[in-house]
Amino acid sequence: MLEFLPEQFYRAIQKINLNDLYEIRMRANCPTTVRFLGKYLYLTAYGLSQKEAEGLVATYSDIEETVLAAGKYSVYSVEEQLKQGFLTAESGERLGIAGRFVYANGQPAAVRDYSSLCIRVPHSVVGCSDEIYEKCLQEELKNLLLVSPPGQGKTTILRDLSRNISNRNRKNVLVCDERGEISASEVGKSTDIYSFVHKNEGMEMGIRVMRPDVIITDEVSVKELPAIYRAVHSGVKIIASFHAKEISEIPVEMQETFKNIVLLDSETIGKIKEIISL
């Protein structure tokens, strides 16, 4: 995990508990921050600190080296990901990349001059979805939307829901994993995985060739609704996540499709605030 970091940053990370580390932010010529137990702190050579002056400062070279190492020094093999501004490393760490975007024919062709990284650290928390599973899905599979602001544990819960449905219900689960994060660790014995596929294409192709009982995918938006409608009308249930803080922020069309909505607490990672059946 995180072996692609430059040596001084990797050594510093080894001094803290990775189970409580959720995010690393490297910005050129700025102190590096981490999200640890829900709080942002500075990463120092000796661990963590609240003092900005003690933070390890990343250079442009550090950031470029991190991207190259995460991509196994083969930019060509991760070219399609980089066009979308991210890269998923070997252990499921997702690197969001900021820099200068280069366009060709009106479409992003590459990212150059990397200036900052948002590295999200995946976690496998077995049992974190048990309450949701037992209250919403144990007796009957249903369309379900998991809602919270970014970074509150939605992907970790989706991963555990896949395990629960697959292992306890023995249903056929298809994970459409656009960024390679959900499948960063074990997702169940009867789960099939589409990695780095656009959600629309993944759902439509999956319905045709994999015959899933349920499709699990991350970070849906209104533009995916047509593919979601086709899945639902084909008898496939959809479990997905959505970025919002309150139910009022969810588009009406989304609410009409997902009658079961799980709202996570916006302060405590992985904590359920409310389960809503519309």
Side-chain angles (χ1 to χ4, degrees):
M1 179 75 73
L2 300 170
E3 290 89 350
F4 52 80
L5 289 172
E7 186 176 354
Q8 65 169 333
F9 293 88
Y10 183 69
R11 287 201 307 266
I13 286 294
Q14 299 312 299
K15 293 179 170 64
I16 65 178
N17 187 346
L18 293 183
N19 290 327
D20 297 322
L21 175 67
Y22 288 86
E23 187 177 282
I24 305 168
R25 288 188 175 267
M26 300 173 67
R27 298 181 174 95
N29 301 326
C30 294
T32 298
T33 59
V34 301
R35 191 176 188 216
F36 187 82
L37 288 174
K39 297 180 179 180
Y40 280 102
L41 299 168
Y42 293 101
L43 179 67
T44 79
Y46 310 102
L48 301 178
S49 173
Q50 294 183 347
K51 298 178 181 179
E52 180 179 347
E54 296 179 355
L56 290 174
V57 175
T59 65
Y60 283 99
S61 295
D62 288 329
I63 292 171
E64 182 176 13
E65 174 64 21
T66 300
V67 173
L68 290 173
K72 297 290 186 181
Y73 298 94
S74 175
V75 175
Y76 176 77
S77 67
V78 293
E79 183 179 16
E80 289 304 313
Q81 295 180 54
L82 290 174
K83 288 179 182 179
Q84 300 176 63
F86 78 95
L87 169 62
T88 302
E90 188 173 35
S91 297
E93 309 96 322
R94 190 181 82 183
L95 287 72
I97 303 169
R100 178 172 60 88
F101 276 75
V102 178
Y103 283 75
N105 301 319
Q107 297 295 322
V111 186
R112 299 282 187 266
D113 303 330
Y114 311 129
S115 58
S116 59
L117 301 174
C118 173
I119 304 171
R120 296 181 63 177
V121 182
H123 293 83
S124 180
V125 184
V126 176
C128 67
S129 73
D130 285 357
E131 182 179 353
I132 297 171
Y133 172 81
E134 289 162 7
K135 289 184 177 180
C136 302
L137 303 168
Q138 184 167 249
E139 294 184 6
E140 178 187 2
L141 289 182
K142 302 172 184 175
N143 298 329
L144 185 142
L145 193 65
L146 193 61
V147 178
S148 83
Q152 293 304 114
K154 295 187 297 298
T155 303
T156 303
I157 292 174
L158 287 178
R159 186 181 301 123
D160 197 58
L161 279 174
S162 178
R163 278 193 295 258
N164 264 328
I165 295 169
S166 175
N167 296 344
R168 294 164 72 171
N169 279 42
R170 297 184 182 178
K171 296 292 186 180
N172 294 311
V173 180
L174 174 64
V175 171
C176 286
D177 201 359
E178 190 168 19
R179 296 181 177 87
E181 289 184 287
I182 302 175
S183 55
S185 62
E186 199 264 326
V187 287
K189 297 174 183 176
S190 62
T191 297
D192 305 302
I193 301 166
Y194 281 170
S195 296
F196 305 112
V197 65
H198 294 300
K199 286 186 280 289
N200 281 323
E201 288 85 350
M203 285 189 278
E204 295 203 16
M205 181 167 55
I207 293 166
R208 290 197 306 269
V209 302
M210 297 305 297
R211 201 180 64 77
D213 297 302
V214 59
I215 293 175
I216 294 179
T217 192
D218 213 353
E219 298 179 13
V220 295
S221 65
V222 173
K223 68 180 181 180
E224 276 92 45
L225 276 174
I228 291 170
Y229 291 152
R230 282 190 282 276
V232 171
H233 292 155
S234 299
V236 179
K237 302 302 181 184
I238 301 290
I239 296 175
S241 65
F242 185 82
H243 284 163
K245 190 173 182 179
E246 302 292 344
I247 191 168
S248 59
E249 299 171 5
I250 305 171
V252 173
E253 310 97 296
M254 199 76 73
Q255 294 185 40
E256 291 174 347
T257 303
F258 293 93
K259 299 293 187 181
N260 295 274
I261 297 175
V262 177
L263 197 62
L264 298 183
D265 189 89
S266 60
E267 301 296 330
T268 305
I269 295 174
K271 180 181 178 182
I272 297 171
K273 179 180 179 181
E274 188 177 6
I275 297 177
I276 305 160
S277 295
L278 300 174

